[in-house]
Amino acid sequence: MKELDLLKKDWQKNQNSFEQVSETEIYKMIHKKSSSIVKWILIISVLELSLWTLISVAFNTDDYFKKLKHDELIFYFKILNVFSYVVIFIFIYLFYKNYIAITTTSSTKQLMKDILKTRKTVQCYVGYNLAMIVLGLIVGFVIAFAYNPETIALKSKIAENGTVMAITFGVLFLTILVFFGIFWLFYRLLYGILLRRLYTNYKELKKIDL
Amino acid sequence: MSQNLEHSFVQQLQANQNIIHKICRLYTNGEDAHKDLFQEITIQLWKAFPKFRGDSKFSTWAYRVALNTAITLYRKSKRTIATIEFEGRQHFTPDIDYNYEEEEQLKLMYQAVYQLNDIEKALIFMYLEDKDYQEIAETLGISEVNARVKMNRIKGKLKKILNPLGT
């Protein structure tokens, strides 16, 4: 393609057509803060990790179970607590490991892969917490029904009346749905803005090697 | 020690800054955005510099970090206003053998390159910089064969942009 040869010749000839940046300016630049997407991902991820950890720590059910006077439940939830701490540590370790693997000296494809992997760790953590919340809601509902004396009146009503049952489950289902909807929208917006270009370019690179 | 490192970095970057300017020219479309990307690349290069061992040339090493920053890390600033008009050559001085037709062709060619996507631009950039396919493939993380195939496709795409009717 002769136009491309022409372009190449011109490209190399015009080496020095740029306004040169002085050493003093470069000194100034290296002390400025980066605004790369990796930095944003780090900030958001740390916020997410701490928020969800805080929520799971703050969600203390001990008092509630004491009120129910069922010690075996307290025991089960202690095990669950230990389990969730282990999971938190595993996620934080994985996130840290993936984050430090991100380096600009990797190949472009590898760099993109590493960034997406780090994102995925946090996404899994959020997913895990959401799943635990839904599970918690269901288990809580069952426990409240089976053990809490305050719900006996409601229980008998539900057993008698189909409409009350439908409304109760409907409200429960809707709550979960709205909850997920808000999260989904929030994540789509946040990461859509941040990662759209990266996804497009990653797809393009993967396509080359197909 | 860290001051020495800083000094050595600044000197080498200053001497090799045209690499970064060229990438900025390809990936941005305005003076502000050009400066913005230049700064981000400089920061990323400085961050990676302690790991630069000098077993390759500074310029070779810088190509990779700079391209990665432009394609992957850089967030386009809101100030950037998209324009299709692209003057690739900023300070053009006519040669003795000035050729009007060639000049027109070049202008169109620069505009066509500017319409390519981020990955295609990276390939074209390295091609224009006379990098061999092995280095192109390694930088992007694709196979050498596929880098060649893609380059041929890009040439075809450029041809189509320049001559949409295929006459």
Side-chain angles (χ1 to χ4, degrees):
Chain A
M1 193 181 176
K2 77 173 195 325
E3 291 99 333
L4 199 58
D5 294 332
L6 193 70
L7 180 69
K8 194 170 183 174
K9 230 168 64 190
D10 185 73
W11 181 269
Q12 288 171 355
K13 200 170 63 187
N14 276 286
Q15 290 275 2
N16 300 310
S17 62
F18 298 102
E19 199 182 313
Q20 296 295 288
V21 177
S22 71
E23 287 194 12
T24 331
E25 279 172 294
I26 295 173
Y27 268 116
K28 267 189 220 156
M29 277 182 194
I30 61 177
H31 291 119
K32 281 198 178 136
K33 286 207 162 68
S34 151
S35 62
S36 78
I37 60 160
V38 172
K39 203 184 136 192
W40 282 106
I41 285 173
L42 175 71
I43 293 171
I44 296 167
S45 298
V46 168
L47 279 175
E48 277 176 86
L49 287 171
S50 3
L51 177 78
W52 283 107
T53 309
L54 217 74
I55 288 175
S56 64
V57 170
F59 201 68
N60 197 329
T61 46
D62 280 5
D63 287 346
Y64 181 66
F65 289 126
K66 270 186 197 133
K67 214 170 73 187
L68 294 182
K69 297 196 176 62
H70 279 275
D71 288 345
E72 76 272 18
L73 285 179
I74 297 179
F75 175 70
Y76 290 140
F77 275 85
K78 280 234 158 76
I79 295 176
L80 196 70
N81 252 343
V82 174
F83 171 78
S84 64
Y85 279 118
V86 172
V87 172
I88 289 169
F89 277 113
I90 290 172
F91 270 115
I92 288 174
Y93 167 74
L94 283 178
F95 172 74
Y96 176 73
K97 210 182 95 193
N98 290 334
Y99 178 73
I100 54 168
I102 297 174
T103 152
T104 43
T105 45
S106 307
S107 72
T108 307
K109 201 175 173 185
Q110 190 60 43
L111 172 68
M112 290 177 176
K113 235 192 239 173
D114 291 338
I115 293 173
L116 292 175
K117 209 167 134 192
T118 309
R119 254 317 301 148
K120 209 150 211 170
T121 321
V122 181
Q123 236 162 15
C124 283
Y125 186 62
V126 174
Y128 160 80
N129 279 294
L130 283 174
M132 286 308 261
I133 283 177
V134 171
L135 208 74
L137 277 177
I138 294 169
V139 171
F141 196 65
V142 170
I143 288 176
F145 253 47
Y147 294 101
N148 198 339
E150 286 164 25
T151 53
I152 284 176
L154 182 67
K155 205 161 53 175
S156 56
K157 247 190 203 160
I158 285 176
E160 280 167 23
N161 193 333
T163 329
V164 176
M165 183 155 89
I167 290 172
T168 312
F169 281 104
V171 167
L172 200 74
F173 183 71
L174 224 71
T175 312
I176 293 175
L177 212 70
V178 168
F179 190 67
F180 268 89
I182 289 169
F183 265 95
W184 183 79
L185 213 72
F186 176 71
Y187 276 95
R188 275 300 289 260
L189 267 173
L190 185 65
Y191 290 106
I193 293 165
L194 211 57
L195 293 176
R196 194 183 323 140
R197 188 159 161 250
L198 193 142
Y199 272 121
T200 316
N201 286 338
Y202 186 60
K203 257 191 243 156
E204 176 76 18
L205 263 181
K206 271 200 346 207
K207 221 167 62 191
I208 296 175
D209 265 342
L210 274 185
Chain B
M1 182 58 206
S2 85
Q3 255 187 341
N4 277 344
L5 197 72
E6 210 174 282
H7 185 64
S8 149
F9 173 77
V10 170
Q11 269 191 327
Q12 290 190 76
L13 184 75
Q14 217 273 335
N16 287 287
Q17 62 175 285
N18 281 333
I19 298 169
I20 307 173
H21 280 304
K22 280 190 240 172
I23 290 175
C24 292
R25 176 208 263 176
L26 212 53
Y27 283 94
T28 62
N29 47 12
E31 210 180 317
D32 280 350
H34 184 117
K35 278 184 189 157
D36 214 35
L37 180 57
F38 189 96
Q39 179 172 312
E40 188 58 44
I41 291 175
T42 304
I43 294 170
Q44 293 301 333
L45 281 166
W46 170 237
K47 273 208 228 163
F49 192 61
K51 276 186 257 165
F52 171 63
R53 289 192 194 87
D55 44 8
S56 61
K57 271 194 339 201
F58 181 86
S59 59
T60 313
W61 172 81
Y63 271 112
R64 184 176 281 208
V65 178
L67 264 180
N68 271 339
T69 307
I71 299 173
T72 313
L73 303 184
Y74 179 62
R75 281 182 65 241
K76 281 186 178 138
S77 74
K78 283 188 197 115
R79 284 169 292 160
T80 317
I81 303 148
T83 47
I84 299 170
E85 199 57 42
F86 176 63
E87 286 293 336
R89 316 170 75 196
Q90 281 143 351
H91 304 282
F92 177 69
T93 38
D95 285 340
I96 309 152
D97 54 343
Y98 180 70
N99 183 330
Y100 179 76
E101 201 186 327
E102 256 185 23
E103 181 56 23
E104 203 47 38
Q105 250 178 351
L106 263 173
K107 207 174 145 188
L108 288 172
M109 203 55 195
Y110 272 111
Q111 275 172 13
V113 167
Y114 200 58
Q115 286 177 44
L116 298 173
N117 70 36
D118 288 348
I119 303 295
E120 291 166 340
K121 277 181 186 170
L123 270 133
I124 274 286
F125 168 73
M126 286 188 276
Y127 174 85
L128 293 175
E129 288 290 306
D130 240 349
K131 301 283 166 193
D132 58 30
Y133 280 104
Q134 195 196 340
E135 195 177 333
I136 295 177
E138 273 172 18
T139 305
L140 291 176
I142 56 178
S143 80
E144 203 180 318
V145 179
N146 288 333
R148 270 176 211 278
V149 173
K150 183 67 189 175
M151 192 60 214
N152 281 331
R153 288 211 185 121
I154 296 170
K155 284 180 191 170
K157 193 172 171 180
L158 285 174
K159 232 181 233 171
K160 223 176 186 173
I161 296 172
L162 287 175
N163 195 356
L165 296 174
T167 46

